[in-house]
Amino acid sequence: YSQILCPISIGKLYHWIRGQAMLKLYVLIAIVEVFDRLLCSFGQDAWDSLYWNTTRRPRHPRLFVSIIVVGVYVTIHSLFLFVHVATLSVAVNSADHALLTLLISGNFAEIKSTVFKKYNKQNLFKITTSDICERFKLALFLLLILFLNRFQGEMTSSMVNDYCLMCGIVFAAELISDWIKHSFITKFNFIKSTAYFDYALVLSGDVTGIGHEGLSLDYTHAAVKRLGLAQIPLVCVTARYLHEAVRFAIAFKGNGDVDHPFSALVDLMA
C-alpha cells in the first residue's frame, strides 16, 4: 500500500484514462475484469499455501517463497483494482455517459455468454458466488468514488443526488442482468430455485465453522475462499482512496473551509 499505491497520483491516473479513446477504455475495463477473476482464483491458493506453511512448517524455506508469492500477488491485484476504480470513476463522471452505457451493456452481454451453456448445481454455485463478489466490489467502488468527489469539495447537494441516481442505475442494471441470467440458467438446466437456499446453507456453514471440523485451514477463511473475495487488495485500494480523501479534507481545512464534510474528522485527528 505505502510503497506501490501511495506514490501513484489518483488525479494523474484519472486524467490519463479520461484522455483515452472510448474503445480503449472499454477494452481496458474488460481486461481488468478478466485479470481480476484470474487473480482472485490464484490469490486464494497463494494465501492457503502461506497459511499452511506458517502453521505446519514455519522454518521451512518454502515459507519465504510463499511470502514472496503473496506479496507479488497483492501488489499486482491491488494495481488492477486501482485502475478499475479509476476507470469506473471516469465513466461515472463523464458528461455524455457514453462509456457508462457501454459498461451497462456489458452486463447484458454477459447473459449471452452464459445462459446457453450446460450447468449443474455446483457450476451454478460458482456463478452465484462470483456475482456476490461483483456486487460487493461495485458497491464499494461507487462508494469510494463518491467519498473522493465529495471530499474534494467539488460536489453540491444536487450533484450528489445526480451521482446517487447514476449509481442506482448502474447497480440496478447489474441486478437485472444477474436476475435474467440466473432465471434462464435454471430454466434451461432444469435446476430448482430451492438450490439457492442450499447455497445459503453452505455459506452459513462456512461462516459458523459447521462442517469444517478437523481441517488444517481456519474455518473463517472458508467463506472468503468459496466466494473468491480478494479482501487484502480491496483493503489496500480502499485505504488509498480514503487517504486521498483525508488529504483533500486537510487541505480544505487549512484554507479555512470549516464547512467541509471532513472538517470534524480532521479536528478529531488533530
Side-chain angles (χ1 to χ4, degrees):
Y1 161 73
S2 60
Q3 301 296 327
I4 303 298
L5 295 183
C6 281
I8 301 176
S9 174
I10 294 179
K12 291 181 179 179
L13 178 62
Y14 173 86
H15 288 289
W16 178 82
I17 294 176
R18 189 175 182 179
Q20 304 301 314
M22 186 183 304
L23 183 60
K24 290 183 179 180
L25 293 181
Y26 185 72
V27 173
L28 178 62
I29 292 178
I31 293 174
V32 168
E33 289 180 350
V34 170
F35 275 93
D36 179 31
R37 295 187 179 185
L38 295 177
L39 288 171
C40 283
S41 177
F42 175 79
Q44 298 303 324
D45 295 335
W47 283 110
D48 289 347
S49 176
L50 178 61
Y51 182 85
W52 193 88
N53 286 320
T54 304
T55 55
R56 295 303 180 91
R57 46 185 185 184
R59 300 182 183 277
H60 198 276
R62 288 191 177 182
L63 174 62
F64 300 99
V65 177
S66 298
I67 294 174
I68 294 174
V69 170
V70 168
V72 173
Y73 152 73
V74 171
T75 300
I76 297 176
H77 202 174
S78 299
L79 288 174
F80 273 102
L81 293 177
F82 193 69
V83 174
H84 193 180
V85 179
T87 309
L88 185 61
S89 177
V90 173
V92 172
N93 294 323
S94 178
D96 56 359
H97 302 304
L99 180 59
L100 191 61
T101 304
L102 287 176
L103 292 178
I104 294 176
S105 64
N107 293 328
F108 293 94
E110 185 181 356
I111 298 175
K112 181 180 68 174
S113 62
T114 54
V115 297
F116 298 110
K117 295 181 180 180
K118 187 68 176 178
Y119 294 99
N120 52 30
K121 287 183 63 175
Q122 184 177 2
N123 299 132
L124 182 59
F125 191 17
K126 294 180 180 179
I127 296 177
T128 304
T129 55
S130 177
D131 291 339
I132 292 173
C133 291
E134 286 184 5
R135 294 180 186 182
F136 174 77
K137 286 188 287 189
L138 180 61
L140 177 63
F141 292 167
L142 292 175
L143 186 61
L144 290 177
I145 296 171
L146 175 61
F147 276 0
L148 186 59
N149 291 345
R150 184 67 182 94
F151 298 142
Q152 283 177 341
E154 301 176 355
M155 297 185 71
T156 61
S157 53
S158 60
M159 295 173 64
V160 172
N161 294 334
D162 294 339
Y163 178 83
C164 293
L165 177 62
M166 190 61 59
C167 292
I169 294 174
V170 174
F171 209 79
E174 180 75 21
L175 294 178
I176 293 173
S177 63
D178 287 344
W179 181 79
I180 296 174
K181 178 177 65 176
H182 283 270
S183 297
F184 281 98
I185 287 177
T186 54
K187 172 182 171 59
F188 293 153
N189 295 277
F190 304 101
I191 301 175
K192 295 183 179 180
S193 59
T194 54
Y196 293 97
F197 295 99
D198 298 335
Y199 301 157
L201 185 62
V202 172
L203 292 175
S204 300
D206 292 339
V207 174
T208 58
I210 299 176
H212 295 275
E213 297 83 359
L215 297 180
S216 58
L217 293 177
D218 188 66
Y219 73 89
T220 56
H221 183 64
V224 176
K225 182 180 180 181
R226 194 182 299 276
L227 291 174
L229 182 64
Q231 69 274 32
I232 302 300
L234 286 174
V235 168
C236 294
V237 174
T238 302
R240 177 65 182 92
Y241 270 80
L242 292 180
H243 176 268
E244 188 76 4
V246 172
R247 188 176 69 85
F248 275 103
I250 294 175
F252 275 96
K253 183 66 176 178
N255 293 331
D257 187 2
V258 295
D259 295 329
H260 192 270
F262 253 5
S263 59
L265 178 59
V266 173
D267 292 336
L268 181 61
M269 293 172 60

